[in-house]
């Protein structure tokens, strides 16, 4: 189209800046698509970041010197197995054992302390990180009866009557402590003269306590 002076009019045609802007948009989209990123005009909200990694207590402040001293005064440092993400995970605890306690009595005191700690509700930090326990309060433990092997621990509730999670917690906690002989197993029985069995804490039990019952074997003479 020419105007009255015979010059070509630019009215109705896109400017050079408009052309460049129009080309830039599809070019950017093509680059993003080539990099595996889908272009979007809508902001995406993925929500707030999780407050704590499940089963991780690494962001809990380390105890001060005074706290560590107070814990030491409360008893012997031990570890118990709690449940987290359907697995067994160790946490630090302590149990009190009076000075001068004999070996046999010491084993029973440690075992009872471990039971009590397993039955305790996890701390606020542990609960926030996903830790739970299936061991119920009120359970007690005694040493061997007259005809039992010396490393026997008898529970007030028969092991056969415990839920799989609770049994796995107790077996793995006991077998990994001074309450047992240190070979990864523990001899357990119920009250009175119920039969004894030697239970083992295996990697399969620790990783799948709800599905994998602690393997056990008969104890001679029980």
């Amino acid at each position: 189209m020419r105007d009255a002076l015979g010059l070509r009019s630019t009215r109705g045609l896109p400017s050079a800046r408009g052309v460049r802007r129009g080309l830039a948009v599809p070019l950017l989209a093509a680059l993003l698509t080539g990099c595996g990123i889908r272009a979007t005009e809508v902001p995406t909200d993925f929500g707030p970041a999780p407050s704590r990694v499940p089963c991780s207590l690494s962001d809990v402040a380390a105890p001060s010197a005074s706290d560590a001293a107070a814990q030491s005064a409360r008893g012997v440092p031990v570890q118990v197995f709690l449940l987290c993400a359907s697995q067994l995970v160790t946490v630090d605890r302590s149990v009190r054992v009076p000075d001068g306690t004999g070996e046999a009595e010491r084993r029973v005191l440690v075992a009872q302390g471990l039971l009590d700690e397993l039955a305790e509700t996890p701390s606020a930090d542990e609960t926030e990180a996903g830790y739970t326990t299936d061991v119920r309060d009120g359970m007690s433990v005694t040493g061997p009866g007259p005809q039992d092997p010396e490393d026997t621990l008898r529970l007030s509730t028969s092991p056969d009557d415990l839920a799989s999670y609770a049994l796995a917690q107790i077996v793995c906690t006991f077998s990994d402590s001074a309450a047992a002989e240190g070979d990864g197993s523990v001899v357990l029985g119920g009250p009175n003269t119920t039969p004894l069995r030697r239970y083992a804490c295996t990697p399969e039990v620790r990783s799948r306590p709800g599905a994998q019952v602690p393997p056990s074997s008969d104890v001679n003479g029980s």
Side-chain angles (χ1 to χ4, degrees):
M1 179 184 296
R2 298 180 180 273
D3 57 13
L5 297 178
L7 300 177
R8 182 179 297 273
S9 172
T10 59
R11 185 171 53 193
L13 297 177
S15 66
R17 179 179 300 176
V19 171
R20 288 196 299 270
R21 184 182 299 114
L23 291 174
V25 173
L27 178 59
L28 177 60
L31 289 174
L32 291 175
T33 302
C35 294
I37 303 174
R38 179 173 296 181
T40 177
E41 298 179 359
V42 181
T44 303
D45 182 10
F46 292 103
S51 60
R52 175 169 298 160
V53 178
C55 306
S56 173
L57 297 174
S58 59
D59 55 346
V60 178
S64 64
S66 59
D67 291 338
Q71 181 177 10
S72 177
R74 288 196 295 269
V76 179
V78 295
Q79 288 188 322
V80 300
F81 282 86
L82 297 184
L83 299 167
C84 192
S86 299
Q87 299 182 43
L88 294 182
V89 184
T90 57
V91 296
D92 295 329
R93 294 288 190 266
S94 63
V95 298
R96 178 170 294 281
V97 179
D99 293 337
T101 303
E103 184 62 28
E105 185 181 359
R106 178 185 177 87
R107 290 181 59 253
V108 176
L109 288 176
V110 169
Q112 184 62 60
L114 293 172
L115 267 184
D116 294 341
E117 291 296 334
L118 285 171
E120 282 285 333
T121 301
S123 68
D125 288 324
E126 292 165 347
T127 299
E128 185 179 350
Y131 288 77
T132 62
T133 184
D134 211 46
V135 177
R136 297 296 173 252
D137 193 17
M139 193 181 308
S140 61
V141 59
T142 59
Q147 305 300 321
D148 295 339
E150 63 179 9
D151 57 345
T152 297
L153 293 172
R154 285 193 173 275
L155 303 173
S156 58
T157 299
S158 174
D160 292 338
D161 295 332
L162 295 173
S164 58
Y165 282 116
L167 180 60
Q169 284 184 260
I170 293 172
V171 167
C172 288
T173 297
F174 281 1
S175 64
D176 195 42
S177 75
E181 295 298 316
D183 62 351
S185 68
V186 61
V187 176
L188 294 178
N192 303 320
T193 58
T194 54
L196 301 174
R197 296 189 68 82
R198 182 176 292 277
Y199 294 86
C201 178
T202 63
E204 292 76 18
V205 172
R206 290 193 291 270
S207 63
R208 302 176 59 204
Q212 182 66 49
V213 177
S216 63
S217 58
D218 292 332
V219 175
N220 293 333
S222 64

